Amino acid sequence: MYKNVIVKKPGKSYVNGLTTSDLGKPVYEKALEQHDAYVEALKKCGVSVTFLPANEEFPDSTFVEDTAVLTPEFAVISNPGAVSRNGETGEIETALKKFYDTFHYIKTPGTLDGGDILQIEDHFYIGISDRTNEEGARQLKEILESEGYKGKIVPLQKFFHLKTGISYLGKELIIAAGEFVDHPDFQHYKKITVPLEEEYSANCIRVNDYVIIPKGYEETIRQINEAGFETIELEMSEFQKHDGGLSCLSLRF
Ligand code: CIR
């Protein structure tokens, strides 16, 4: 069960954030509406929401997930791999001080984005991507193992972040797209396979009694419902334009 989430309002500078997609420029008002709906959905899931104000200095800072890795016992402050995002961690660490006494840090030359970390029970899968390098992954694995968790490093082939293509719904059930459908590291889990045309929906989040998923991915939603989960669908277009998915917009703990 999650009790808390941290979210951060997108600033006006969000429209100038980083992207590799060619889906066009986000419309700020629409991004705000979608963000508000996201917060409402989280509240429906029964979590208490810490809503941080926008920071215009960091266009991508609404994607708070990338700044930390959280467990019930401790917080790991990441070291985001994009130069323009590297200063985002300060405000998040301050917000987390209210909830955590124990902090660990990913240190330069290690880089790590929270979007590359997938927790499945006591296992953490750590993606190596354009943002998370081998040294960052190694540091996180060492921290997790020193605290009694297991860490497994997974080099990515195509996906932007690890969690762009795989999510964990609980009860040993994952949802996987693209390179993760037949990936040897995830073969021992039960699996929902996301069809290619619905790939964006592989980034969804289980929050207590609901799975929150982007709107309009009928096949994925059907399979999630069939597995016994209630779903909440959210319009995510303005975040997708900047490579963001549902998980990126919150830290859940
Ligand atoms: C970036 O390039 O960093 C942002 N535009 C998107 C970050 C998405 N975060 C995530 O998948 N965890």
Side-chain angles (χ1 to χ4, degrees):
M1 287 287 281
Y2 292 122
K3 283 204 194 108
N4 294 290
V5 299
I6 295 176
V7 298
K8 189 169 173 62
K9 186 178 171 177
K12 291 196 182 69
S13 64
Y14 170 65
V15 301
N16 302 318
L18 300 171
T19 188
T20 60
S21 88
D22 55 2
L23 299 171
K25 226 182 172 61
V27 177
Y28 182 56
E29 290 305 323
K30 242 171 123 179
L32 283 186
E33 277 169 30
Q34 291 176 5
H35 194 264
D36 282 346
Y38 181 78
V39 171
E40 287 312 308
L42 288 170
K43 286 183 183 160
K44 186 173 169 180
C45 299
V47 291
S48 163
V49 178
T50 299
F51 197 123
L52 303 179
N55 183 339
E56 299 298 342
E57 199 190 330
F58 296 109
D60 286 293
S61 57
T62 191
F63 298 119
V64 287
E65 172 176 69
D66 293 319
T67 59
V69 178
L70 303 176
T71 74
E73 302 84 23
F74 58 92
V76 182
I77 302 299
S78 76
N79 193 15
V83 174
S84 68
R85 300 199 59 189
N86 200 255
E88 289 178 21
T89 50
E91 283 179 342
I92 298 295
E93 184 176 358
T94 305
L96 287 169
K97 290 240 160 89
K98 193 173 143 208
F99 301 98
Y100 285 96
D101 294 325
T102 306
F103 285 81
H104 296 280
Y105 299 86
I106 303 300
K107 297 180 186 133
T108 306
T111 64
L112 185 129
D113 277 14
D116 280 318
I117 316 308
L118 173 69
Q119 183 179 2
I120 302 186
E121 306 302 333
D122 66 346
H123 266 78
F124 284 79
Y125 294 89
I126 308 168
I128 294 187
S129 66
D130 283 349
R131 300 292 176 81
T132 299
N133 65 15
E134 276 181 40
E135 171 59 14
R138 192 199 60 73
Q139 287 181 24
L140 181 63
K141 188 171 180 322
E142 194 173 290
I143 292 165
L144 291 167
E145 288 175 351
S146 76
E147 294 273 8
Y149 287 96
K150 296 190 180 77
K152 172 89 181 130
I153 295 176
V154 184
L156 306 194
Q157 286 159 21
K158 280 198 195 145
F159 277 118
F160 180 72
H161 278 132
L162 181 77
K163 272 184 288 190
T164 315
I166 184 167
S167 305
Y168 179 55
L169 300 186
K171 298 191 273 189
E172 299 291 308
L173 177 65
I174 58 166
I175 166 160
E179 68 200 62
F180 299 124
V181 172
D182 294 316
H183 197 293
D185 287 341
F186 302 106
Q187 282 321 299
H188 55 294
Y189 296 109
K190 286 183 277 170
K191 181 171 58 194
I192 290 175
T193 298
V194 177
L196 185 62
E197 59 287 1
E198 297 202 2
E199 198 167 274
Y200 182 66
S201 64
N203 180 273
C204 54
I205 48 174
R206 159 98 187 266
V207 185
N208 302 337
D209 293 338
Y210 295 93
V211 174
I212 309 179
I213 181 154
K215 204 177 195 125
Y217 297 94
E218 299 309 327
E219 175 55 20
T220 309
I221 288 163
R222 189 189 63 71
Q223 292 191 66
I224 294 174
N225 292 150
E226 209 174 271
F229 296 97
E230 271 201 76
T231 41
I232 302 175
E233 290 182 59
L234 292 179
E235 185 57 66
M236 286 292 290
S237 61
E238 304 318 291
F239 298 106
Q240 187 178 14
K241 286 173 181 174
H242 277 186
D243 298 332
L246 274 167
S247 72
C248 325
L249 291 176
S250 60
L251 284 163
R252 303 161 295 281
F253 54 106

